[in-house]
Amino acid sequence: MRDIEDDAMAEGAVEVHCPWCGEPHTLEPDGSGGASQEYVEDCPVCCNPWLVKVRFTTSGPADVTLERAQ
Ligand SMILES: [Zn+2]
């Protein structure tokens, strides 16, 4: 596991789509929580839970995947 330097961290918003209702949503991943993160967040539209998987890379934007949380 590598530390991500501030200047290497991808800044900015990532557009995702809710796996439940399909509505677009913008996430702004926070790199201070680690290079690889998983957390649960509720959809602001349909209130179903997302399992958000974020992986920061040293080049380019963060890789964000949403799955339906159980
Ligand atoms: Zn939704």
Side-chain angles (χ1 to χ4, degrees):
M1 191 75 71
R2 284 169 295 171
D3 286 332
I4 304 288
E5 302 288 340
D6 280 346
D7 60 357
M9 189 203 315
E11 294 280 347
V14 178
E15 185 173 287
V16 295
H17 289 84
C18 175
W20 300 93
C21 69
E23 285 293 313
H25 186 70
T26 301
L27 291 178
E28 295 192 37
D30 178 4
S32 66
S36 181
Q37 301 171 33
E38 274 188 30
Y39 58 93
V40 175
E41 182 171 324
D42 291 341
C43 176
V45 178
C46 67
C47 298
N48 283 303
W50 302 334
L51 176 61
V52 183
K53 297 181 178 180
V54 183
R55 205 174 33 166
F56 291 91
T57 61
T58 51
S59 61
D63 184 17
V64 180
T65 305
L66 291 195
E67 294 178 9
R68 295 184 180 197
Q70 300 301 314

mmCIF file of all heavy atoms in Angstrom, residues 18 20-21 43 46, ligand 1:
data_model
loop_
_atom_site.group_PDB
_atom_site.id
_atom_site.type_symbol
_atom_site.label_atom_id
_atom_site.label_comp_id
_atom_site.label_asym_id
_atom_site.label_seq_id
_atom_site.Cartn_x
_atom_site.Cartn_y
_atom_site.Cartn_z
ATOM 1 N N CYS A 18 -26.853 5.730 -9.647
ATOM 2 C CA CYS A 18 -27.403 4.890 -8.592
ATOM 3 C C CYS A 18 -27.721 3.506 -9.153
ATOM 4 O O CYS A 18 -28.391 3.391 -10.172
ATOM 5 C CB CYS A 18 -28.670 5.536 -8.029
ATOM 6 S SG CYS A 18 -29.515 4.513 -6.802
ATOM 7 N N TRP A 20 -29.721 1.474 -7.963
ATOM 8 C CA TRP A 20 -31.124 1.172 -7.671
ATOM 9 C C TRP A 20 -32.053 1.934 -8.609
ATOM 10 O O TRP A 20 -32.897 1.332 -9.258
ATOM 11 C CB TRP A 20 -31.474 1.556 -6.226
ATOM 12 C CG TRP A 20 -30.682 0.850 -5.181
ATOM 13 C CD1 TRP A 20 -29.524 1.284 -4.599
ATOM 14 C CD2 TRP A 20 -30.968 -0.418 -4.577
ATOM 15 N NE1 TRP A 20 -29.091 0.366 -3.673
ATOM 16 C CE2 TRP A 20 -29.959 -0.682 -3.637
ATOM 17 C CE3 TRP A 20 -32.005 -1.343 -4.740
ATOM 18 C CZ2 TRP A 20 -29.942 -1.834 -2.858
ATOM 19 C CZ3 TRP A 20 -31.990 -2.488 -3.967
ATOM 20 C CH2 TRP A 20 -30.971 -2.741 -3.035
ATOM 21 N N CYS A 21 -31.913 3.240 -8.649
ATOM 22 C CA CYS A 21 -32.872 4.052 -9.401
ATOM 23 C C CYS A 21 -32.273 4.630 -10.675
ATOM 24 O O CYS A 21 -33.001 5.173 -11.509
ATOM 25 C CB CYS A 21 -33.451 5.175 -8.524
ATOM 26 S SG CYS A 21 -32.256 6.462 -8.079
ATOM 27 N N CYS A 43 -28.531 6.616 -1.195
ATOM 28 C CA CYS A 43 -28.884 7.433 -2.350
ATOM 29 C C CYS A 43 -29.768 8.589 -1.907
ATOM 30 O O CYS A 43 -30.775 8.376 -1.214
ATOM 31 C CB CYS A 43 -29.625 6.567 -3.369
ATOM 32 S SG CYS A 43 -30.200 7.509 -4.801
ATOM 33 N N CYS A 46 -33.431 7.878 -3.893
ATOM 34 C CA CYS A 46 -34.327 6.763 -3.558
ATOM 35 C C CYS A 46 -34.042 6.176 -2.175
ATOM 36 O O CYS A 46 -34.761 5.287 -1.732
ATOM 37 C CB CYS A 46 -34.246 5.669 -4.623
ATOM 38 S SG CYS A 46 -32.656 4.802 -4.692
HETATM 39 ZN ZN ZN B 1 -31.211 5.883 -6.094
#
